[in-house]
Amino acid sequence: MDWTEETLPCDSLTLLTGLQSAGNKAPVVWEALCGVMERGTDILIQTPYVVCGGEMYRQLQSLCVGRQVSILTNAPETGANLFGCADYRMERDNILETGVKLYEWAGDRSMHSKTILVDDRISIVGSYNLDMRSTYLDTEMMLVIESAAFNAQLRAQTEQRQAESRCVLPDGTVEYGAAYVPPEYGFGRRAFHTVCGALVRPFRCLL
């Protein structure tokens, strides 16, 4: 095997890891990710779920000052985590108030990617979801990759998903990607999201 054909050039690799103790944890990985994102001006977070608490909202709002921050996540119609989608519907306005752009992906399956693109050189991949469980409870790992070639390859994949998404701007305006196909949103699923969105309020940190 010719490894020069199978690999991409890389300037540096940094592994971010959370605390391994059981129980509640300090948000080590999230704070480290914020530190990396602060180095750029164009941020694209790809995450299956968005379940933020007050401090996470404040940090997102701070990131949006002087930066373009976008989040690509599952549309409620197609996401596999029913409880996470229910919470997202309840919280979408609060997410938008931070200043982020929301891309709601309506693909043919539920997306489970966890990546961050920072400008055109830094890519971050790993296990961290943008939710309180990953931030304060689970032990997560993210790999920070400084490589323009890898960034370009990952960006091409995420741009295809953006084209298949509807984009909700901070002011509530909705734009549709060139390849967006409106997903079916049946009465049963919509009703489940409405009821569960209210019932899970006390347990959001566990979603």
Side-chain angles (χ1 to χ4, degrees):
M1 179 181 292
D2 185 352
W3 288 106
T4 61
E5 295 293 330
E6 300 294 330
T7 58
L8 295 171
C10 175
D11 296 325
S12 70
L13 295 171
T14 304
L15 182 63
L16 308 178
T17 61
L19 302 175
Q20 299 179 23
S21 57
N24 294 337
K25 300 177 177 65
V28 174
V29 173
W30 169 240
E31 290 181 349
L33 292 174
C34 287
V36 177
M37 288 187 284
E38 287 171 355
R39 295 161 56 183
T41 58
D42 183 10
I43 314 299
L44 175 57
I45 302 169
Q46 185 175 208
T47 177
Y49 329 117
V50 184
V51 184
C52 295
E55 183 59 27
M56 295 176 71
Y57 279 137
R58 285 188 286 273
Q59 288 167 306
L60 276 176
Q61 189 172 34
S62 178
L63 279 173
C64 287
V65 177
R67 301 178 183 86
Q68 173 63 65
V69 181
S70 303
I71 296 176
L72 173 63
T73 191
N74 287 303
E77 297 94 323
T78 58
N81 184 334
L82 295 177
F83 296 101
C85 289
D87 183 80
Y88 175 79
R89 286 188 66 212
M90 296 284 289
E91 289 286 316
R92 184 165 64 177
D93 287 346
N94 290 331
I95 300 170
L96 291 170
E97 284 180 3
T98 67
V100 303
K101 294 171 61 176
L102 287 173
Y103 287 88
E104 298 176 342
W105 186 59
D108 57 357
R109 64 192 183 282
S110 180
M111 179 266 291
H112 204 63
S113 303
K114 299 105 170 178
T115 69
I116 301 175
L117 293 170
V118 182
D119 295 338
D120 60 357
R121 293 198 62 82
I122 299 177
S123 309
I124 312 174
V125 299
S127 65
Y128 176 85
N129 297 301
L130 186 56
D131 61 25
M132 288 187 282
R133 186 179 182 92
S134 279
T135 302
Y136 300 109
L137 186 61
D138 292 343
T139 299
E140 307 289 6
M141 301 176 66
M142 294 292 276
L143 185 64
V144 182
I145 305 163
E146 292 201 45
S147 167
F150 182 81
N151 182 286
Q153 190 175 94
L154 183 56
R155 188 172 295 278
Q157 295 175 2
T158 55
E159 285 177 349
Q160 176 58 40
R161 285 183 174 169
Q162 287 175 289
E164 299 167 346
S165 303
R166 60 174 176 258
C167 177
V168 188
L169 303 177
D171 64 2
T173 302
V174 180
E175 300 175 348
Y176 299 95
Y180 175 76
V181 177
E184 182 181 349
Y185 199 19
F187 173 79
R189 188 180 180 94
R190 186 189 300 270
F192 181 90
H193 284 163
T194 300
V195 173
C196 284
L199 293 179
V200 301
R201 304 304 289 172
F203 314 105
R204 296 184 64 242
C205 60
L206 300 177
L207 296 180

